[in-house]
DNA sequence: TGCCGTATTACGGTATCCCATAATACCGTT
DNA sequence: AACGGTATTATGGGATACCGTAATACGGCA
C-alpha cells in the first residue's frame, strides 16, 4: 500500500483549471454579486472581450450556468441572467428548512469540541459582517457557517443542493439581510442552533434550524408581496 | 389588464427546440438507459458522427450534462459517463426520503378524488411494468407516479431536485428494481402511501413515503456492500 | 522479454465563416 | 405628422479548420 515516494510535497501540480472552468466561476461570481441586473442579456461577443476568451469558451460556460439555473436562454434571443422566480422562492426556503434541519441534527450527533468552537467562530464572523460589512460580506460569512455545519454533519450532497438553491434566491437573501434588526434576530437564532449542537441535542438543533429558515422564509415572502403591491400601484 | 386578443389558442408556436437542446436530451436518455457503460469515455468526434451534429453542439451538450452530474470531465482526458459515487448514494436516498415525505404530506392536503384516482392508476402502471416489462419500464412508470405526486403536492422545485438526484443513482434504482420480491413489497408500500393520501392523513402519508425510501435505501446499500465484497474477493 | 521512441488520438482552445432572425433605424408616401 | 414598408445591424445557432499538448498505442530494437 505504501509508496516509496510520499505523495506529499512532491506531486506535480495538475490542478491547473481549464479556461472554461475559470470562466464559469468568474461569471457565476459576477451574477451572484449582482454585477449584472436580473434579466440582463449576456451578449456572447461582449463577454468574450470583457473576459478575454474565445466565444467557444464563453458559450460552453453559459451552457453550464444555464444548467445551474443562473442563466436562462430566451428563445429567439439568447442568454440572459435568470430572473428570480418568485413563485418558487417559498418552495426553495421550505426545502432548505428540511435539509438544514437534518444537517443540524446530524451535526449534533457528530460534532466534537473543536467543531463546536469552529461553529462559534463562524457565527462571530457573521455578526462581524453584519456590524461592519456589506450584505455581500454577510452572505459570504453565512455561507461559510453553513458549509461548516454540513461538513460536520457529513452531508456533502445536501450541501451541494443547498448551494444550488441559494443561488436561485440570492437576491432575496441579500434583501432579507439588509432588513433592519435582522442582525440581532438572526444572531439569536444561530446561537440557539449552536447551543443545541453543543448539548448534542439533535432534535433541538433540527428544530432551531428549521425555525430559522421558516423565519427567513416569512420575511422573504412578505417582502415579495410588498414589491408586487408596489408594482400594481398603491 | 385584459387584452382584446385572448392568449389562448392563437399563439405562434415558438417551441422549435434548438439542435443543442435535442442533443442534450438524446444523450441524457442514452446515459440513463445504460447505452453507455459507467466511466466510458465520450469521444466528441465519435458522438458527432453518431448524432449527426457538429462538435460545437456536442461540446455544449456535454457541458450541460456535466453540470447535471451525468458526465464528468476527466483531467487530461476529456468527457466520460459519470461513475456512480457509492459513498454518496446513501445521502441521496436520505434526501429523497425527506423530500418525498413532504410531498406526500402536501399531496394528502391537496388531493381531490380525481387526483387519488390518478395515483391509483399510476401505481397500477408500475405493477404492470413489474409484471411484464423491463426494469426500464418500471423506472419509467415509477417516475411518472412520483411526478404526479409532486405535481399534486405543488412541489415543482423539489421534483426537479429529486429528478436530478435520481439521475445520479439511476443504476442503483435499476438494480433494486430487479431484485426478487421487490414487486410485491414495493406495491404494498405504494398502496400505503396512496391510502393515507386518500384518507387526507398527511402524517401517515409522509411516514409511509419516508419508510418506503428508507427501505429502498437499505436495499441499495446492502447491494453496494455485496458488490464491494465481490471486488475485494470472497 | 523489456524498453524506448514515434505515431496516433483526442481534447482544450482559437479563429472564422455562414445563416436566420429580431430589433432598430430609415425613408418615402400620403 | 403619422404610417407602412424596407434596409441595416446585432446577435445567436451552428459548422469548420486549425493548433498545441497530453495520453496512449504501437512497433522496432536491444
Amino acid at each position: 500500500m505504501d509508496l516509496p515516494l510520499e505523495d506529499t510535497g512532491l506531486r506535480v501540480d495538475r490542478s491547473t483549471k481549464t479556461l472554461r472552468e475559470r470562466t464559469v466561476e468568474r461569471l457565476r461570481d459576477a451574477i451572484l454579486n449582482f454585477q449584472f441586473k436580473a434579466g440582463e442579456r449576456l451578449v456572447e461577443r461582449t463577454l468574450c472581450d470583457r473576459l478575454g476568451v474565445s466565444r467557444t469558451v464563453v458559450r460552453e460556460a453559459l451552457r453550464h450556468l444555464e444548467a445551474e439555473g443562473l442563466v436562462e436562454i430566451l428563445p429567439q434571443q439568447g442568454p440572459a441572467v435568470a430572473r428570480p422566480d418568485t413563485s418558487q422562492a417559498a418552495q426553495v426556503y421550505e426545502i432548505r428548512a428540511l435539509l438544514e434541519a437534518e444537517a443540524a441534527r446530524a451535526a449534533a450527533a457528530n460534532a466534537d469540541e473543536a467543531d463546536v468552537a469552529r461553529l462559534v467562530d463562524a457565527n462571530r464572523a457573521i455578526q462581524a459582517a453584519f456590524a461592519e460589512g456589506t450584505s455581500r460580506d454577510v452572505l459570504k460569512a453565512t455561507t461559510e457557517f453553513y458549509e461548516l455545519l454540513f461538513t460536520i454533519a457529513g452531508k456533502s450532497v445536501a450541501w451541494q443542493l443547498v448551494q444550488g438553491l441559494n443561488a436561485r434566491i440570492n437576491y432575496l437573501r441579500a434583501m432579507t439581510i439588509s432588513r433592519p434588526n435582522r442582525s440581532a434576530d438572526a444572531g439569536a437564532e444561530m446561537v440557539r442552533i449552536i447551543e443545541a449542537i453543543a448539548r448534542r441535542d439533535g432534535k433541538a438543533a433540527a428544530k432551531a434550524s428549521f425555525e430559522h429558515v421558516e423565519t427567513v422564509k416569512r420575511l422573504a415572502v412578505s417582502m415579495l408581496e410588498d414589491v408586487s403591491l408596489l408594482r400594481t400601484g398603491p
Side-chain angles (χ1 to χ4, degrees), chain A:
Chain A
M1 221 38 156
D2 293 295
L3 295 166
L5 233 52
E6 289 294 334
D7 308 20
T8 53
L10 199 54
R11 308 188 74 93
V12 176
D13 181 26
R14 295 242 146 185
S15 66
T16 325
K17 290 190 184 158
T18 64
L19 209 49
R20 173 168 37 85
E21 287 173 291
R22 281 177 291 162
T23 304
V24 168
E25 285 166 16
R26 265 239 169 351
L27 279 175
R28 180 170 35 220
D29 246 55
I31 294 173
L32 292 182
N33 287 318
F34 308 106
Q35 292 175 31
F36 299 103
K37 284 183 291 189
E40 181 176 345
R41 285 276 285 97
L42 295 170
V43 178
E44 293 174 1
R45 287 163 173 97
T46 311
L47 290 179
C48 292
D49 292 343
R50 291 183 48 183
L51 293 162
V53 297
S54 77
R55 217 180 135 204
T56 309
V57 172
V58 167
R59 286 179 60 169
E60 290 181 12
L62 289 173
R63 300 318 163 204
H64 192 106
L65 293 170
E66 180 199 6
E68 282 184 24
L70 285 179
V71 164
E72 58 185 340
I73 274 69
L74 307 174
Q76 269 78 45
Q77 291 197 63
V81 178
R83 286 158 310 189
D85 184 335
T86 56
S87 75
Q88 298 191 344
Q91 290 185 52
V92 169
Y93 280 107
E94 284 160 19
I95 296 167
R96 264 188 49 191
L98 289 175
L99 297 179
E100 291 177 15
E102 272 309 297
R105 187 197 313 279
N110 296 347
D112 58 25
E113 298 305 319
D115 289 332
V116 174
R118 276 191 280 269
L119 285 171
V120 171
D121 280 350
N123 189 36
R124 250 199 283 275
I126 297 177
Q127 290 305 310
F130 261 123
E132 56 198 54
T134 66
S135 71
R136 271 189 48 204
D137 297 323
V138 179
L139 231 43
K140 190 158 169 283
T142 308
T143 302
E144 277 162 18
F145 175 87
Y146 277 107
E147 178 163 23
L148 186 56
L149 182 74
F150 279 88
T151 304
I152 295 170
K155 306 270 187 194
S156 55
V157 178
W159 174 235
Q160 283 172 30
L161 292 187
V162 168
Q163 284 189 104
L165 290 171
N166 274 337
R168 296 205 222 173
I169 54 164
N170 194 48
Y171 73 108
L172 273 178
R173 297 182 73 207
M175 281 173 68
T176 56
I177 278 169
S178 27
R179 186 93 165 192
N181 284 335
R182 194 52 205 135
S183 166
D185 293 352
E189 291 161 18
M190 299 305 244
V191 167
R192 276 178 44 221
I193 298 172
I194 297 175
E195 281 177 352
I197 292 175
R199 292 199 309 274
R200 307 288 183 274
D201 185 344
K203 202 167 169 188
K207 186 158 179 284
S209 194
F210 191 93
E211 285 172 357
H212 166 64
V213 181
E214 281 290 312
T215 303
V216 186
K217 174 189 156 193
R218 274 194 299 276
L219 202 55
V221 168
S222 84
M223 293 179 88
L224 280 177
E225 281 166 0
D226 291 351
V227 171
S228 67
L229 276 183
L230 275 179
R231 266 210 291 269
T232 55

